């Protein structure tokens, strides 16, 4: 009895630094990471490269250790290091452009000791920390605060866009919008912020709708911005010329990136080129039907009909081999992770911690929605990985580091969780 009591006290003391963390928030990402290693092994079984599955498991273990270490450290200390983190983030992105290696048409990796590191992945966490620090005060909800947040984001976003890494640059946009909304920024300003992009898209599809959009943006500017006449005029002019700007930006994209953005609408136009991935992905997911063909028994997966399926298209392997029910269960797991992130954001003791959680939530939600959407033909193929499931060391570690930061917010909050 005495020995049992001693072991109980020792175990309690060992767990004490993590007494406040959300264990389910940690266990679910670990579970889907380990489960994904089986899918990765299935996608590489035909080629004999099953060691990638073990690499995924090893990086999952490293990620868990990092998460636990971060969770026991006070997240408030990140405030003191925010500009150092921001500087390191930008330096690493510049280094990619100077000494980076090229893969899949983008110069996004740095080779160190035989490992390819993708700084743009870690930059997601860097911008979440920096923006949370910038938006934590009440003054940040002013127009000046909005411009400051956009200025902070502009430098790393531009460096990532120039690699060119379109997928990660879109994730940056989702993170910024989510954190601005949570910081109580005027919703009208957020609409105006994305209005030129919308105007550039609809200008090339249907002019009457574009005209209506420009008028509506002018009304929003009149109702929400200071210096009404000047502000409204500027907003109308920007949205009016957005179509031409869109054409110029479209010309900056590589040909394979333009195909990714448009071929999802009609992949049969190039069935052996840009539309091949999507066609094969939809065949794989559709053939899984309700319960799937069984793990390691998917014909599309086993015969490698989908190139690089273990990375961005891992969901197609899931759909084929475990069917609709397996896909639904995975989506529910992601839903639960997002729910826990919202709860932690609501219960955080300060705005900084709450914004950190929302930044991570925005990053995960956007990546899950776009990745699953692109595998079934509802979104462009942008090279965005599925969190914890797509193979990629940098992506996996980034997601676990992000969870560790949110766990720190939960661990050191004063209010009760539910």
């Amino acid at each position: 009895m005495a020995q049992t009591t001693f072991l109980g006290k020792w175990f309690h003391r060992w767990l004490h630094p993590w007494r406040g963390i959300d264990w389910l928030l940690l266990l679910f990402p670990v579970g889907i990471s380990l489960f994904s290693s089986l899918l990765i092994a299935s996608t590489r079984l035909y080629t004999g490269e099953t060691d990638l599955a073990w690499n995924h498991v090893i990086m999952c273990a490293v990620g868990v250790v990092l998460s636990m270490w971060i969770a026991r450290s006070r997240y408030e200390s990140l405030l003191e290091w925010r500009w150092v983190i921001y500087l390191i983030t930008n330096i690493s992105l510049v280094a990619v452009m100077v000494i980076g290696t090229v893969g899949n048409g983008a110069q996004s990796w740095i080779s160190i000791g035989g490992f390819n590191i993708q700084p743009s992945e870690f930059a997601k966490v860097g911008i979440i920390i920096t923006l949370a620090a910038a938006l934590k005060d009440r003054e940040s909800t002013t127009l000046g605060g909005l411009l400051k947040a956009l200025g902070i984001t502009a430098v790393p976003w531009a460096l990532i866009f120039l690699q060119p890494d379109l997928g990660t640059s879109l994730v940056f946009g989702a993170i910024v919008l989510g954190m601005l909304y949570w910081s109580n920024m005027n919703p009208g300003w957020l609409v105006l912020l994305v209005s030129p992009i919308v105007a550039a898209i609809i200008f090339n599809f249907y002019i009457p709708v574009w005209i209506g959009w420009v008028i509506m943006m002018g009304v929003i500017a009149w109702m929400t911005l200071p210096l009404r006449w000047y502000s409204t005029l500027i907003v109308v002019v920007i949205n009016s010329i957005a179509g031409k700007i869109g054409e110029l930006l479209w010309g900056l994209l590589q040909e394979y990136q333009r195909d990714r953005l448009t071929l999802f609408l009609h992949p049969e136009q190039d069935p052996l080129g840009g539309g091949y991935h999507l066609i094969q992905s939809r065949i794989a997911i559709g053939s899984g039907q309700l319960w799937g063909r069984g793990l390691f028994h998917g014909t599309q997966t086993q015969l490698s009909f989908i190139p690089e399926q273990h990375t961005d298209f891992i969901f197609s392997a899931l759909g084929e081999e475990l069917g609709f029910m397996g896909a639904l269960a995975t989506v529910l797991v992601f839903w639960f992770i997002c729910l826990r992130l919202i709860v932690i954001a609501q219960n955080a003791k300060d705005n900084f911690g709450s914004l950190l959680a929302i930044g991570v939530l925005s990053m995960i939600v956007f990546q899950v929605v776009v990745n699953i959407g692109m595998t079934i033909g509802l979104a462009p193929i942008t090279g965005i990985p599925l969190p914890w499931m797509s193979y990629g060391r940098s992506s996996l570690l980034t997601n676990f580091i992000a969870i560790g930061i949110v766990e720190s917010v939960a661990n050191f909050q004063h209010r009760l969780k539910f």
Side-chain angles (χ1 to χ4, degrees):
M1 178 65 74
Q3 185 178 6
T4 303
T5 304
F6 172 77
L7 290 175
K9 290 182 177 179
W10 178 85
F11 188 70
H12 176 76
R13 186 178 304 171
W14 184 79
L15 286 177
H16 186 71
W18 299 282
R19 63 192 180 279
I21 74 169
D22 190 324
W23 288 103
L24 289 177
L25 179 60
L26 180 62
L27 291 176
F28 272 90
V30 172
I32 59 176
S33 297
L34 296 178
F35 167 70
S36 179
S37 67
L38 297 176
L39 294 175
I40 293 172
S42 181
T43 63
R44 311 310 294 174
L45 191 62
Y46 183 78
T47 61
E49 298 175 337
T50 53
D51 58 317
L52 294 181
W54 287 111
N55 289 339
H56 195 75
V57 173
I58 292 171
M59 296 312 296
C60 174
V62 174
V64 171
V65 172
L66 284 174
S67 290
M68 296 292 286
W69 176 71
I70 295 172
R72 64 177 293 168
S73 306
R74 300 195 73 92
Y75 67 92
E76 298 97 324
S77 61
L78 294 173
L79 282 171
E80 303 174 6
W81 293 91
R82 63 186 184 277
W83 294 120
V84 175
I85 294 172
Y86 184 72
L87 181 62
I88 293 174
T89 297
N90 289 316
I91 290 176
S92 66
L93 294 174
V94 171
V96 169
M97 301 180 68
V98 177
I99 61 172
T101 57
V102 179
N104 296 326
Q107 188 169 334
S108 303
W109 292 267
I110 297 178
S111 295
I112 300 178
F115 293 94
N116 288 331
I117 298 175
Q118 191 172 1
S120 60
E121 285 292 332
F122 299 104
K124 298 173 186 175
V125 175
I127 201 63
I128 289 173
I129 294 171
T130 312
L131 274 181
L135 297 173
K136 67 181 180 64
D137 299 321
R138 185 177 298 274
E139 293 77 14
S140 63
T141 59
T142 63
L143 192 58
L146 174 62
L147 295 176
K148 178 182 178 181
L150 295 179
I152 290 172
T153 309
V155 177
W157 181 87
L159 292 172
I160 291 172
F161 186 79
L162 291 173
Q163 289 182 5
D165 187 348
L166 179 60
T168 304
S169 63
L170 292 175
V171 176
F172 263 55
I175 291 172
V176 173
L177 288 176
M179 296 180 71
L180 287 174
Y181 174 79
W182 193 259
S183 67
N184 292 321
M185 195 69 67
N186 190 314
W189 297 351
L190 300 184
V191 174
L192 293 175
L193 187 62
V194 300
S195 64
I197 300 175
V198 178
I201 295 173
I202 62 178
F203 175 82
N204 296 287
F205 285 93
Y206 197 50
I207 296 296
V209 175
W210 169 77
I211 295 174
W213 176 263
V214 173
I215 294 173
M216 185 170 64
M217 292 305 101
V219 172
I220 293 177
W222 177 269
M223 297 175 61
T224 63
L225 293 176
L227 302 174
R228 286 181 170 180
W229 287 106
Y230 294 103
S231 300
T232 302
L233 178 62
I234 292 173
V235 168
V236 169
V237 170
I238 290 177
N239 280 270
S240 298
I241 65 175
K244 189 61 179 179
I245 294 176
E247 291 180 359
L248 294 175
L249 292 177
W250 184 258
L252 295 176
L253 296 178
Q254 301 292 330
E255 183 177 355
Y256 79 95
Q257 289 180 316
R258 292 196 291 268
D259 289 341
R260 283 181 170 185
L261 291 174
T262 58
L263 278 175
F264 81 100
L265 297 172
H266 303 286
E268 62 278 357
Q269 292 181 352
D270 190 11
L272 298 179
Y276 180 80
H277 269 83
L278 178 54
I279 292 173
Q280 297 301 323
S281 176
R282 293 196 302 194
I283 291 173
I285 294 174
S287 65
Q289 300 184 25
L290 186 62
W291 295 104
R293 294 178 177 271
L295 195 61
F296 299 102
H297 289 89
T299 54
Q300 296 290 113
T301 298
Q302 297 303 309
L303 298 178
S304 299
F305 275 96
I306 306 174
E308 303 297 323
Q309 190 178 14
H310 61 296
T311 55
D312 299 339
F313 280 82
I314 192 67
F315 190 80
S316 63
L318 170 68
E320 181 182 26
E321 298 191 341
L322 296 179
F324 174 78
M325 298 306 296
L328 178 61
T330 302
V331 171
L332 289 176
V333 169
F334 281 117
W335 174 84
F336 183 82
I337 291 172
C338 293
L339 177 63
R340 297 313 303 168
L341 290 171
I342 293 175
V343 171
I344 292 173
Q346 290 177 328
N347 294 334
K349 66 182 180 182
D350 55 25
N351 291 337
F352 180 59
S354 183
L355 285 164
L356 287 174
I358 290 300
V360 174
L361 171 70
S362 303
M363 177 181 73
I364 292 173
V365 168
F366 184 79
Q367 292 184 125
V368 170
V369 171
V370 173
N371 181 277
I372 294 178
M374 74 183 190
T375 61
I376 60 178
L378 295 180
I381 299 175
T382 53
I384 294 177
L386 188 59
W388 297 291
M389 294 192 68
S390 294
Y391 179 80
R393 299 184 182 96
S394 297
S395 174
L396 187 60
L397 287 181
T398 295
N399 291 321
F400 272 113
I401 290 172
I403 288 296
I405 292 174
V406 179
E407 290 286 19
S408 176
V409 175
N411 198 21
F412 294 100
Q413 68 186 15
H414 296 321
R415 307 177 203 173
L416 295 176
K417 297 188 295 183
F418 60 92

